[in-house]
Amino acid sequence: MAKTIMIQGAGSNVGKSMIVAGLARALTHRGLSVAPFKPQNMSNNAAVTVDGGEIGRAQALQARAAGRDPVVDMNPVLLKPETDIGAQVVVQGKRLTTCKARDYARLKPRLMPRVLESFHRLAGTADVVLVEGAGSPAEINLRAGDIANMGFAEAAQVPVVLVGDIDRGGVIAQLVGTHAILPPEDRDRIVAFAINKFRGDASLFDDGLAEIATRTGWASLGVLPWFAEAWRLPAEDVMDIASTKGGPIKIAVPRLGRIANFDDLDPLASEPNVSLEIIEPGRPLPGDAALVLIPGSKSTIGDLQDFRAQGWDVDLAAHVRRGGHVLGVCGGYQMLGREIADPDGIEGHPGTHPGLGLLDVATQMHPRKTLSYTEATYLPTGAPVTGYEIHIGSTQGPDCARAWLEVDGRSVGAARPDQRVRGCYLHGLFASDDFRQQFLAELGAPASGYAHDASVEAALDSLAAHIEANMDVDALIAGAAEIRG
């Protein structure tokens, strides 16, 4: 019978996702079959699953750590923010509805049966299910109808390990405060705690561990030092996207307000010959960039309007006049065209919106979402490309005659006659080493020999060793409970 334990955090971004990924790889190395599970995630950085749906990218990385293909049951509820007050609700891989936060609070209790269904189905395929919470269980104002933290732990009878982030300071207050504020029945579900992101001599915190254990009655699983190789793993949170200084080839990426599926940037950020510069709102696009990459967006029309409000459209036009290169991926591709038609008002008010006019194509929005793994060929060189599509809308126009990718015998993508402005719907293409090296060579970068997938695998192995060396994994597994359906 499968066993399970849940990793919750004393706050957001304490490192839950990475700990679950490291545990998944560590337990897999021990010969166990492991499945990751997150009842509810909120992210616009989604992954396409082998069963034709979408889940949070962190769960896809955890599946990779466990040597599994990602499936929709690993993240049955995914919230994809579209505005400051509303989000698309994806349930078991498919869009259910779009609703405001207040309406979602009423919807959540009806989603619990679907969450439990996915959890128990996944449990039938593994020895251990590692569950990841969301945010913090101390947000007791959200406890009613909760499906992400203690609400799920109660419904599925899953014990909890609480993780605190010492790098932010105040970790004793985080953990002891959580103990103080939780109702007794939730407090009693926590069987142990751990400290993450410690810098320096961890023995200096021995008294702190003892104080937390005394005040809470929870067992300590140890202190995880700062994991220096974390940058080699794909980021899920938009706040984790950062500029990286590397080689002479500068790639500028405007930070869109609803940036989505930005894993296109991870392989570029790791390239030794590339400096990736994230352009924050209020800053102009740099004049010395070799390439401006416009990433995907969860709200293409809204981000296009913001792009203009920043003056980036003027900067981009000047960049092209200087002979610079531009690549638009998915929503960025749609923005580069003449216009975006949204007759059904999928992204707001119905109407047609002018694009940036750098590609002679036009996009029509429609409700059907394209979700697929894709194997393609880079037409200029024949290099293989692997990626995925996740978008609404279709794009047509004269510049599509200069497609630069081929999928199943079809030419896809679009380019200007001089090939300096290109667009496509394929995400994740830069993870393909041969294509990435050839694309960067066109910008003047020498071959680096960097292998992206091998780097990610090595980082996961290092993370597993890091957790085995610093966390009491035996005690964690001993505290796991058998899953009873």
Side-chain angles (χ1 to χ4, degrees):
M1 183 174 290
K3 298 184 75 175
T4 185
I5 197 156
M6 187 173 194
I7 308 297
Q8 294 187 16
S12 296
N13 206 30
V14 302
K16 300 184 299 294
S17 296
M18 190 169 296
I19 289 173
V20 170
L23 284 170
R25 178 58 60 96
L27 296 179
T28 300
H29 283 170
R30 291 185 176 203
L32 296 171
S33 172
V34 182
F37 180 78
K38 184 159 185 169
Q40 174 191 292
N41 199 352
M42 178 178 285
S43 176
N44 275 332
N45 201 25
V48 175
T49 63
V50 295
D51 47 355
E54 56 181 313
I55 59 175
R57 181 146 296 278
Q59 281 62 65
L61 178 66
Q62 291 161 357
R64 177 175 183 167
R68 285 174 167 254
D69 289 328
V71 295
V72 297
D73 283 336
M74 293 174 178
N75 177 206
V77 178
L78 174 62
L79 305 179
K80 305 184 75 173
E82 294 180 335
T83 68
D84 288 342
I85 60 172
Q88 183 182 112
V89 182
V90 177
V91 178
Q92 292 178 329
K94 303 298 182 184
R95 178 187 178 276
L96 175 68
T97 186
T98 295
C99 64
K100 296 180 179 178
R102 187 176 299 277
D103 297 326
Y104 180 66
R106 292 191 289 268
L107 175 64
K108 281 191 299 182
R110 293 169 24 212
L111 299 180
M112 181 65 88
R114 305 282 292 277
V115 168
L116 293 173
E117 176 186 59
S118 286
F119 173 69
H120 288 292
R121 189 158 50 215
L122 199 62
T125 70
D127 299 320
V128 179
V129 179
L130 296 174
V131 184
E132 179 188 342
S136 166
E139 295 163 344
I140 55 175
N141 55 309
L142 303 177
R143 179 61 174 87
D146 172 60
I147 63 174
N149 287 307
M150 288 300 182
F152 170 78
E154 176 185 28
Q157 293 297 293
V158 178
V160 174
V161 172
L162 188 65
V163 177
D165 176 4
I166 199 169
D167 191 53
R168 297 182 179 190
V171 73
I172 295 175
Q174 291 174 31
L175 295 168
V176 176
T178 300
H179 179 274
I181 202 170
L182 287 178
E185 59 272 19
D186 286 348
R187 183 190 307 150
D188 292 345
R189 297 189 190 285
I190 300 175
V191 296
F193 71 95
I195 305 298
N196 195 23
K197 304 182 188 178
F198 192 93
R199 300 176 191 259
D201 182 355
S203 67
L204 296 176
F205 195 66
D206 286 349
D207 290 345
L209 291 178
E211 195 66 39
I212 294 168
T214 298
R215 290 175 180 268
T216 64
W218 302 330
S220 169
L221 295 181
V223 177
L224 286 170
W226 184 270
F227 183 59
E229 295 181 64
W231 64 273
R232 295 169 59 189
L233 296 171
E236 183 191 41
D237 196 306
V238 66
M239 300 309 296
D240 293 331
I241 304 175
S243 297
T244 57
K245 288 198 173 182
I249 302 301
K250 179 181 286 188
I251 298 177
V253 181
R255 189 193 286 272
L256 306 177
R258 296 295 171 199
I259 188 171
N261 294 88
F262 44 83
D263 53 306
D264 300 301
L265 308 181
D266 292 315
L268 295 173
S270 299
E271 269 287 346
N273 294 319
V274 168
S275 290
L276 188 73
E277 187 168 347
I278 308 300
I279 310 304
E280 303 289 346
R283 290 183 53 209
L285 299 180
D288 59 346
L291 172 73
V292 174
L293 193 160
I294 305 178
S297 169
K298 188 64 188 72
S299 183
T300 303
I301 294 170
D303 274 346
L304 175 59
Q305 293 168 345
D306 289 343
F307 194 95
R308 283 198 169 92
Q310 296 296 327
W312 286 338
D313 56 334
V314 177
D315 297 341
L316 190 63
H319 169 80
V320 173
R321 287 196 300 271
R322 290 190 297 267
H325 290 254
V326 179
L327 174 63
V329 178
C330 200
Y333 174 31
Q334 296 173 337
M335 293 181 198
L336 289 174
R338 296 189 314 274
E339 64 180 29
I340 302 172
D342 187 11
D344 298 324
I346 295 169
E347 291 199 356
H349 295 295
T352 298
H353 306 266
L356 297 172
L358 295 179
L359 283 175
D360 191 5
V361 297
T363 295
Q364 171 117 1
M365 295 295 192
H366 49 70
R368 181 180 59 83
K369 180 180 285 189
T370 298
L371 289 165
S372 67
Y373 276 119
T374 303
E375 293 185 355
T377 300
Y378 184 43
L379 290 174
T381 66
V385 182
T386 301
Y388 64 96
E389 293 186 47
I390 178 169
H391 64 89
I392 60 170
S394 57
T395 301
Q396 303 292 332
D399 279 349
C400 291
R402 283 175 289 278
W404 49 284
L405 295 168
E406 183 179 89
V407 177
D408 295 330
R410 297 180 292 107
S411 298
V412 298
R416 292 195 345 168
D418 61 7
Q419 298 291 312
R420 290 184 176 273
V421 180
R422 289 185 275 191
C424 72
Y425 278 114
L426 191 62
H427 285 287
L429 68 175
F430 287 114
S432 300
D433 295 329
D434 288 346
F435 163 76
R436 186 182 65 256
Q437 296 293 336
Q438 292 167 12
F439 185 94
L440 293 175
E442 296 172 16
L443 303 178
S448 69
Y450 169 69
H452 181 67
D453 283 347
S455 176
V456 172
E457 287 298 314
L460 286 170
D461 286 340
S462 294
L463 178 58
H466 177 79
I467 286 179
E468 286 277 22
N470 296 285
M471 178 182 275
D472 192 341
V473 179
D474 291 335
L476 182 141
I477 294 303
E482 290 187 348
I483 300 173
R484 301 188 180 278

